[in-house]
Amino acid sequence: MRSDFEYITLGLGGLGSAACYWLARSAGSDVLGLEQFELGHVRGESQDHSRIIRLSYHTPGYVRLAKRAYECWAMVEAEAGESCILRTGGLDLAPRDSRIPLDPYMSSMRTEGVEFEHLDAGEIMRRWPQFRLTPDCHGLYQSEGGIAMAARANTAHQRLAREHGATLRDRFPVTSIRSVGGEVEVVAGGRAYRCRRLVVTAGPWSNPVLRWLGRELPLEVTQEQVTYYSTPYMREFEPGRFPVWIWMDDPCFYGFPVFGEPAVKLAQDAGGRAVTADTRTFDPDPANTARVEGWARTYLPRALGPVHYARTCLYTLTPDRDFVIDRVPGHEAVAIAIGAGHAFKFASVIGRILSELSLHGATPSDLEPFSLSRPILNEKNPVRSYMV
Ligand SMILES: Cc1cc2nc3c(=O)[nH]c(=O)nc-3n(C[C@H](O)[C@H](O)[C@H](O)COP(=O)(O)OP(=O)(O)OC[C@H]3O[C@@H](n4cnc5c(N)ncnc54)[C@H](O)[C@@H]3O)c2cc1C
């Protein structure tokens, strides 16, 4: 079994599968991807049918990154011969005095030349009568918003990586890493592998991996959940009639049209308790479900119906909710990305950026906001603000 590779990726969830794909496009069989569980497992952050993708973001930098993500997804789709993105339109909704004001979203999109519509409650309900809003509500509609087909996109990245010659090994936990003379030694399955560049995309296991390099970040892993409801009004919630949407307040809720299941998916963002990847359970929290249903009874009553199923999933949150995408100071051969609970839509571009850092040592994307050196990541007890 070969033990020297130019590039190794640790962790094959959404971001790592994308990194393997982009690395393999250039480096083919010099790429090794290692995953501790089976490909497509549900213990991390990246499975299920759907994730929201949108250009609507609160800073111009995120809007630019989202534009590049759409371009990268289009390249993946063209090569894979299948869709990963379904455009349904996206709606950001909020009361006028909401905890997450819509103004920064509007100004960021204006700065980046993204077209959107600013709608009052009456107009929103005229177009989507499924909503029951109070007159103080308003919303942003952006037509590129939609669904990133998570499980399907992960499979597409993995398949294409293998077609380009990469080796992807699942059920293969990495048990240590260390820098050796500008390269990296990775121990997995009882053997030592050597590589020129290592990409770490370990999601909720990021701190255990970083500890091997003598680093620890103030991350909080939370146990989140989504619930599929068998609405009796299925047709009203089909894609084409109903958009993806986010309720931009605290608590923050979001949802999808009928997709992947004969049901609509509703959830609260960052509404889960702090756990670790080892202490998490797979049991939905009834209090979280009650919050989602309470909101929906008021604002989206026809979406509710019998619970089709509920599923738990993890977020790996930085205190400021910005990503980490950087090389590890003191270990320049190691690049890492942490998704902060909103990275799936960006998986394509983050994978590409990680490949650019590994192959060329530079990327055209601005990584300053995602730096490991930003002050908040070096505080012991930082103030956490997840509603951005
Ligand atoms: C309920 C929910 C809803 C979400 N909604 C959205 C959304 O609408 N839009 C959006 O953009 N994002 C959303 N996200 C966030 C997004 O899904 C994540 O940011 C993204 O999937 C993170 O991917 P990842 O590859 O970093 O992590 P993961 O998918 O967890 O992958 C990490 C992988 O590393 C492996 N690993 C770890 N340690 C080792 C080791 N030592 N050896 C080998 N393998 C190892 C793990 O087994 C795992 O497979 C949501 C997340 C959740 C949970």
Side-chain angles (χ1 to χ4, degrees), residues 114-129:
V114 173
E115 287 186 8
F116 65 91
E117 293 174 86
H118 186 194
L119 308 173
D120 64 21
E123 180 59 15
I124 294 169
M125 290 190 288
R126 195 186 64 73
R127 295 193 195 182
W128 300 283

Side-chain angles (χ1 to χ4, degrees), residues 10-16 34-37 41 44-46 51-52 172-174 201-205 209 212 224-226 254 256 313-315 337 339-346:
L10 188 168
L12 298 179
L15 306 191
L34 298 173
E35 167 53 49
Q36 61 184 341
F37 302 121
H41 72 86
E45 304 191 30
S46 301
R51 293 285 189 271
I52 290 177
F172 220 79
V174 173
T201 42
W205 293 266
V209 172
W212 292 325
E224 305 296 328
Q225 64 191 53
V226 300
Y254 62 92
F256 296 76
C313 184
L314 301 178
Y315 275 3
H342 62 119
F344 198 89
K345 66 183 76 60
F346 298 102

